Amino acid sequence: MENKNLEKEIKLKIKNLNQIKLKIKKLNAVLEKRRSFEDNVLFDFPDNSLRKKGFALRIRKQGNEAYLTFKGEKIRSKNFKIREELEIKLENPDILYDIFTRIGLKKTFRYQKFRTLFKISDVHVALDETPVGNFIEIEGKEENIISMAEKLGYRDNDIITLDYVEIFKKTHKKGNMIFIK
């Protein structure tokens, strides 16, 4: 039985944002969410026990909405980032921040992005504008992900299976992935 909460995705580095937007429009994309700002905070215990197990615990604020997300250990895959994802909408994220602090969790990493979300057939395509560059994130069934990447002009060697924390840490030794005002 397949896990419904299994997230399968890839990232692709965008060279020309306007060109990609045009390609997405030509594929009859349905706009699911207009460009909006996201502020994400990861939490862990002082000994980093969640990270050591391959888990991630995140609060994401997006406009007037907020979500708590748990991501499970990554499942080995050459071409995809695959992991369990459980998410719930939050009424008051500030109370959850307080609870996390009281039980010993600490903020370990913060990252921001502007995201525009489309749906094309059975695939979700996100355009992410981040402080370290622009990326496409394609999520869905493995064969549909690869097909969509090809339709957008990408090849297998363009696929990125890292998350934003890993992408940031490859070029920055410390700090957070936030827009500087």
Side-chain angles (χ1 to χ4, degrees), residues 105-147:
L105 288 165
K106 62 180 178 120
K107 295 177 185 179
T108 57
F109 188 73
R110 182 176 172 206
Y111 64 101
Q112 298 174 332
K113 63 186 171 191
F114 287 92
R115 173 169 272 190
T116 307
L117 186 61
F118 299 93
K119 184 158 188 187
I120 306 170
S121 301
D122 294 334
V123 179
H124 293 276
V125 178
L127 298 182
D128 290 341
E129 301 164 59
T130 81
V132 293
N134 300 327
F135 297 87
I136 300 169
E137 189 174 277
I138 305 174
E139 185 176 336
K141 292 182 180 173
E142 294 175 12
E143 60 273 10
N144 297 343
I145 292 171
I146 295 300
S147 173

Side-chain angles (χ1 to χ4, degrees), residues 61-73:
K61 289 183 180 180
Q62 186 174 17
N64 295 327
E65 298 178 339
Y67 299 88
L68 172 65
T69 308
F70 169 82
K71 293 192 178 218
E73 189 176 5

